[in-house]
Amino acid sequence: MDAEAGVVGADQLPRRQYYMNLLLLAYQSFGVVYGDLSTSPLYVYKSTFAGKLRQYQDEETVFGVLSLIFWTFTLIPLLKYVTIVLSADDNGEGGPFALYSLLCRHAKLSLLPNQQAADEELSTYYRNGFAPRNGSAPWLRRFLEKHKKMRTVLLLIVLCGASMVIGDGILTPAISVLSSMSGLQVRATGLEHRSVVLLSCIVLVGLFALQHRGTQKVAFMFAPIVIIWLFSIGGIGLYNILHWNPNIYQALSPYYMVKFFRKTGKDGWIALGGILLSMTGSEAMFADLGHFTSASVRVAFVTVIYPCLILQYMGHAAFLSKNTFHMPTGFYDTIPVVGSQAVISATFSIVKQCHALGCFPRVKVVHTSRWIYGQIYIPEINWILMVLCVAVTIAFRDTTLIGNAYGIACMTVMLVTTFLMALIVIFVWQRNIIFALIFLAFFGSIEAVYLSSSLMKVPQGGWVPLVLAFIFMSVMYIWHYGLRRKYQFDLQNKVSMRSILSLGPSLGIVRVPGIGLIYTELVTGVPSIFSHFVTNLPAFHEVLVFLCVKSVPVPYVSPDERYLVGRIGPKEYRMYRCIVRYGYKDVQRDDDNFENMLVMSIAKFIMMEAEDASSSASYDIANEGRMAVITTTDDAGTPLAMRDFNGLADSLTTRSSKSESLRSLQSSYEQEYPTVSRRRRVRFEVPEDDDMGQQVKDELMALVEAKHAGVAYIMGHSYIKARRSSSFLKKFAIDVGYSFLRKNCRGPSVTLHIPHISLIEVGMIYYV
């Protein structure tokens, strides 16, 4: 009994801290996740009765519309997203690509060929309690893995969902701000509509200008506004129910939906395009999951969002049932911008995931919070969204037209999520395929009906998300296709190990002091860039490291699992391979001590290899030998002593391989870029250890001397061309599309934070 009391007392403080953090995140989620859902009452009824349904403005029709809104809001946001979909997070990350990443890990569905068996040993690779590559329908998994076309179709479906999320990021601010600003005309009757559009554009520019402040600051700014708004509309809704029509609760019966469709027929089906706006923003709950937790999102929705919005929709319907020819506008002048933040933040997360998984050109990713790792800001995407959003606002000037476009984008994302969730149930949750089919049939049929209604409004603005999705899908697929073809070319043209071994330890060239880091996308073999460089300049560094920086389909990779190190050829060749693995939410920071970590990892591998410590490492058998996972955060058993030293002059004297002119350039470069000079300066030393073998000591000494002599980064500057025999589509995709994207995105040296003073680029032409 005393033991149990002690355990409870010990857990009480962490539990209290957990609930405090939960409430804090739930509070912040109001300002980011729920702005869109909270402002939906501004335009749901207006859009629903904007078409031919205007002919049926009577109490019975209003009851039917409310019944549809209630059950739609209950089944999709509450049952589907809050109850089911939020449970399918990928280690705390959400969105279409998070689901796709889960599927690629539990079945071989990825088209990227750089995956290794060692990746499956990552602690975050498989969900706890689920066996690898298992499921209720192994025949379905084998079918998808065997047919490349099916995997391509799956990727296109995911890209379609991601493109529609980006489209949401354009349309949501436009409809939210314009509908809010339109309310100004209620009090300022002399205000012209073009002035409203101009004010909306000014507010939009200000909103996007705030994004660099970060999700946390924006959340704290908007959260109290959204909470006050929600309680206000909930209270006003309750008042309207009591004052205008207390019997409005009867409309919650599904019977009124049946009566609605019997009476309105096709006109009622087309009006569903307005009703679906009541659940737009639900997809942001899942896509924004990386900024918060599933528990905090659930708490906020169940305790505040759902009851307040249901009361508002009921009160609004109670008013309309007695005032059928009046649209209430009392709330239009309350909040102009909060509905936009949810999808803007979600767009940043989606683009980062697409980029990390090889489906988006290289962009700059900025961490906006020191404490919450998933909160990011992408400048290029932010300003592109702003320009397109202002353009949509100026072009349409009508919330009904924007709502038509908005509905198609949201329903497409929801339908894609439903399809991917059905596969998650089979491959990840390992439930019977019957459950997946029930889930797909139930929610898919509801969303398909709403999507079919929205597609009827393609001529009235609905074409916008289709065009935007086509553009973004084309960009992402062409980039992915170009990267895949380039990797396959490298794989087919890599240098054979037999030819490397025939050259001897000197490799047939002059070996100069220093470390040469040869960047390659290959995880095995020697890339063709090496022979291309040696052919044109027959000299190379004393220590060669073939470095592969790759993304794996997990959100985060622990620092202890990030480095895979192996050897190429015999020990006297001084050639190593290092694979640095990042998750799709990991971001390399400018202050990372990458060179020091790399040298320490290689040194640990040398010691591990000498001791044959196979029990403490996992290996990937390849032609050139084994690769070991190197722990970088554990200082125990460190083979090298590392001491700090300051002073630019001291650092320059150690680089014996550099001429005076290069040293002068190095000094100028470090003065020009303070972040480089602020990095930690260390000097490695091989400790005097009698237990260490002489061969190991000599290899460590050679590594240390090479590090002190200097590090050079060798990277291929590739020009990719389609073969003459290629089809027209392939030539257009490679020679025009991929070439344009590669020239106009950030270079790999910039995204990898490579010092320009130490960079050597080797030009190569790839005929794919």
Side-chain angles (χ1 to χ4, degrees):
M1 188 72 175
D2 294 336
E4 288 185 2
V7 171
V8 172
D11 291 343
Q12 188 173 6
L13 184 60
R15 189 178 301 173
R16 183 180 302 170
Q17 186 66 37
Y18 166 78
Y19 287 122
M20 289 180 64
N21 292 336
L22 177 65
L23 293 176
L24 178 62
L25 287 174
Y27 168 78
Q28 292 183 22
S29 69
F30 285 106
V32 175
V33 178
Y34 292 117
D36 190 8
L37 273 173
S38 302
T39 54
S40 294
L42 291 173
Y43 40 78
V44 169
Y45 283 105
K46 179 182 178 182
S47 298
T48 303
F49 287 97
K52 293 184 179 180
L53 205 65
R54 194 177 301 156
Q55 304 170 6
Y56 304 91
Q57 288 189 358
D58 53 32
E59 183 174 349
E60 187 177 85
T61 305
V62 171
F63 273 47
V65 170
L66 174 61
S67 183
L68 282 167
I69 291 175
F70 172 77
W71 286 107
T72 298
F73 197 75
T74 301
L75 292 176
I76 303 299
L78 180 61
L79 180 59
K80 176 190 168 183
Y81 277 94
V82 173
T83 306
I84 302 175
V85 176
L86 287 181
S87 301
D89 64 293
D90 183 10
N91 293 283
E93 297 299 321
F97 261 95
L99 297 178
Y100 180 66
S101 175
L102 274 174
L103 290 173
C104 289
R105 302 205 301 270
H106 289 78
K108 294 181 179 179
L109 303 179
S110 176
L111 291 172
L112 291 177
N114 65 342
Q115 302 303 316
Q116 301 170 274
D119 295 340
E120 300 180 17
E121 299 179 11
L122 292 169
S123 58
T124 55
Y125 200 84
Y126 295 111
R127 288 173 64 95
N128 293 333
F130 295 108
R133 293 205 192 98
N134 200 355
S136 60
W139 57 269
L140 179 60
R141 177 171 58 83
R142 287 194 299 268
F143 175 78
L144 293 175
E145 292 177 352
K146 182 179 178 181
H147 294 84
K148 183 179 178 181
K149 290 184 179 179
M150 298 306 299
R151 288 182 283 144
T152 303
V153 169
L154 178 62
L155 176 64
L156 289 174
I157 292 174
V158 175
L159 292 181
C160 177
S163 300
M164 287 297 183
V165 172
I166 299 175
D168 272 356
I170 298 169
L171 297 171
T172 301
I175 190 173
S176 178
V177 173
L178 187 59
S179 61
S180 301
M181 283 296 175
S182 297
L184 294 175
Q185 292 179 295
V186 177
R187 294 186 178 181
T189 53
L191 189 65
E192 297 182 0
H193 188 66
R194 58 184 178 183
S195 300
V196 172
V197 174
L198 177 61
L199 288 173
S200 300
C201 293
I202 294 173
V203 172
L204 286 170
V205 172
L207 171 66
F208 283 100
L210 282 174
Q211 296 305 311
H212 74 281
R213 296 285 184 180
T215 306
Q216 190 175 16
K217 292 182 180 179
V218 175
F220 272 107
M221 183 187 308
F222 287 157
I225 302 175
V226 175
I227 292 173
I228 293 173
W229 163 261
L230 285 167
F231 281 114
S232 297
I233 63 175
I236 293 172
L238 181 61
Y239 167 80
N240 284 334
I241 293 172
L242 298 175
H243 180 73
W244 292 107
N245 193 347
N247 295 323
I248 196 67
Y249 71 90
Q250 297 175 1
L252 303 184
S253 169
Y255 171 70
Y256 284 93
M257 288 193 294
V258 178
K259 292 183 65 176
F260 173 79
F261 285 114
R262 283 180 180 173
K263 180 178 181 180
T264 59
K266 181 181 177 181
D267 295 335
W269 169 62
I270 295 176
L272 292 176
I275 293 173
L276 70 85
L277 295 176
S278 63
M279 59 178 171
T280 54
S282 303
E283 70 281 358
M285 285 192 289
F286 188 50
D288 273 327
L289 205 54
H291 298 256
F292 304 96
T293 63
S294 57
S296 62
V297 172
R298 284 187 172 112
V299 167
F301 185 89
V302 173
T303 58
V304 179
I305 298 293
Y306 185 80
C308 287
L309 289 182
I310 291 298
L311 284 174
Q312 160 58 22
Y313 286 123
M314 290 178 66
H316 202 149
F319 176 87
L320 286 178
S321 65
K322 302 301 180 183
N323 303 272
T324 54
F325 295 100
H326 294 84
M327 283 291 171
T329 56
F331 302 140
Y332 277 159
D333 56 350
T334 308
I335 53 171
V337 295
V338 295
S340 315
Q341 185 60 41
V343 192
I344 296 175
S345 301
T347 301
F348 293 154
S349 297
I350 291 293
V351 169
K352 176 63 177 71
Q353 293 174 11
C354 293
H355 162 64
L357 296 177
C359 293
F360 205 89
R362 292 178 290 267
V363 291
K364 181 180 181 180
V365 179
V366 180
H367 271 286
T368 58
S369 175
R370 295 182 180 179
W371 300 277
I372 304 176
Y373 196 68
Q375 296 185 356
I376 58 175
Y377 164 70
I378 304 176
E380 294 97 328
I381 299 301
N382 185 67
W383 303 124
I384 290 174
L385 289 180
M386 185 196 75
V387 171
L388 292 176
C389 185
V390 171
V392 167
T393 304
I394 295 175
F396 286 102
R397 304 184 180 187
D398 186 0
T399 56
T400 302
L401 294 177
I402 300 176
N404 295 339
Y406 187 32
I408 292 178
C410 292
M411 291 315 305
T412 304
V413 176
M414 292 182 181
L415 203 55
V416 169
T417 302
T418 300
F419 174 75
L420 294 176
M421 275 299 303
L423 296 179
I424 291 289
V425 171
I426 299 172
F427 296 131
V428 182
W429 291 355
Q430 301 173 12
R431 302 296 183 188
N432 194 292
I433 192 173
I434 300 298
F435 291 104
L437 292 176
I438 292 174
F439 179 88
L440 181 62
F442 181 73
F443 292 108
S445 59
I446 295 174
E447 291 160 355
V449 169
Y450 276 109
L451 182 60
S452 64
S453 172
S454 298
L455 291 175
M456 295 295 295
K457 300 179 180 179
V458 168
Q460 292 84 37
W463 56 270
V464 173
L466 300 179
V467 172
L468 291 174
F470 176 78
I471 294 173
F472 286 116
M473 275 187 68
S474 299
V475 168
M476 289 190 284
Y477 186 77
I478 287 174
W479 183 261
H480 183 269
Y481 178 75
L483 285 183
R484 200 168 73 241
R485 299 296 299 179
K486 180 176 180 294
Y487 186 89
Q488 291 171 350
F489 180 90
D490 280 333
L491 200 61
Q492 295 168 1
N493 294 274
K494 64 183 180 181
V495 183
S496 67
M497 286 303 300
R498 182 175 299 176
S499 61
I500 291 291
L501 295 176
S502 65
L503 297 175
S506 67
L507 302 179
I509 55 178
V510 178
R511 303 292 290 268
V512 298
I515 297 179
L517 295 183
I518 306 170
Y519 277 85
T520 174
E521 295 178 1
L522 293 178
V523 293
T524 59
V526 176
S528 57
I529 181 180
F530 176 72
S531 60
H532 190 71
F533 185 93
V534 173
T535 302
N536 291 275
L537 184 64
F540 232 116
H541 298 82
E542 190 175 19
V543 174
L544 296 179
V545 181
F546 293 92
L547 184 64
C548 174
V549 180
K550 75 168 190 175
S551 293
V552 288
V554 297
Y556 306 101
V557 176
S558 168
D560 288 340
E561 300 174 313
R562 179 156 292 160
Y563 288 84
L564 269 173
V565 181
R567 184 187 298 278
I568 299 178
K571 294 183 179 180
E572 57 269 20
Y573 280 51
R574 302 289 190 262
M575 295 171 62
Y576 309 93
R577 176 180 306 284
C578 181
I579 299 175
V580 186
R581 302 177 292 184
Y582 288 93
Y584 59 76
K585 291 293 285 185
D586 284 323
V587 176
Q588 302 176 60
R589 300 178 184 273
D590 292 334
D591 57 354
D592 279 348
N593 262 320
F594 180 72
E595 292 180 6
N596 299 333
M597 297 288 287
L598 184 65
V599 170
M600 189 63 72
S601 298
I602 295 175
K604 286 187 176 183
F605 170 77
I606 294 171
M607 290 291 296
M608 185 182 298
E609 187 183 45
E611 298 170 359
D612 195 24
S614 57
S615 59
S616 61
S618 59
Y619 301 107
D620 180 29
I621 303 301
N623 292 331
E624 63 266 22
R626 64 189 185 184
M627 300 198 70
V629 178
I630 305 299
T631 302
T632 57
T633 58
D634 185 12
D635 293 333
T638 301
L640 298 178
M642 188 168 57
R643 65 180 181 86
D644 295 312
F645 73 96
N646 298 316
L648 188 61
D650 292 339
S651 67
L652 292 176
T653 57
T654 62
R655 300 179 181 180
S656 57
S657 64
K658 295 188 176 181
S659 63
E660 290 295 332
S661 58
L662 281 178
R663 294 180 185 181
S664 176
L665 285 173
Q666 177 76 25
S667 176
S668 302
Y669 177 78
E670 291 180 345
Q671 292 175 6
E672 182 73 17
Y673 297 95
T675 55
V676 176
S677 60
R678 284 199 300 266
R679 291 181 180 178
R680 184 185 180 191
R681 300 183 182 279
V682 300
R683 185 174 183 86
F684 292 99
E685 295 177 351
V686 179
E688 294 294 334
D689 189 351
D690 295 335
D691 296 333
M692 187 183 299
Q694 187 61 40
Q695 189 178 15
V696 174
K697 188 176 296 185
D698 291 342
E699 190 172 3
L700 291 176
M701 185 64 70
L703 178 65
V704 169
E705 290 177 353
K707 171 62 174 70
H708 294 160
V711 179
Y713 297 80
I714 297 94
M715 179 172 289
H717 190 80
S718 57
Y719 297 88
I720 301 180
K721 300 286 185 181
R723 293 191 182 98
R724 292 184 179 180
S725 59
S726 302
S727 64
F728 172 77
L729 283 177
K730 182 178 178 181
K731 288 181 178 179
F732 180 82
I734 296 297
D735 297 344
V736 179
Y738 184 78
S739 177
F740 174 81
L741 294 174
R742 187 187 60 81
K743 291 177 181 177
N744 291 277
C745 71
R746 291 178 178 267
S749 61
V750 176
T751 55
L752 293 171
H753 309 297
I754 296 175
H756 293 289
I757 195 68
S758 305
L759 176 63
I760 302 173
E761 288 190 313
V762 183
M764 288 192 65
I765 298 180
Y766 289 73
Y767 288 100
V768 299

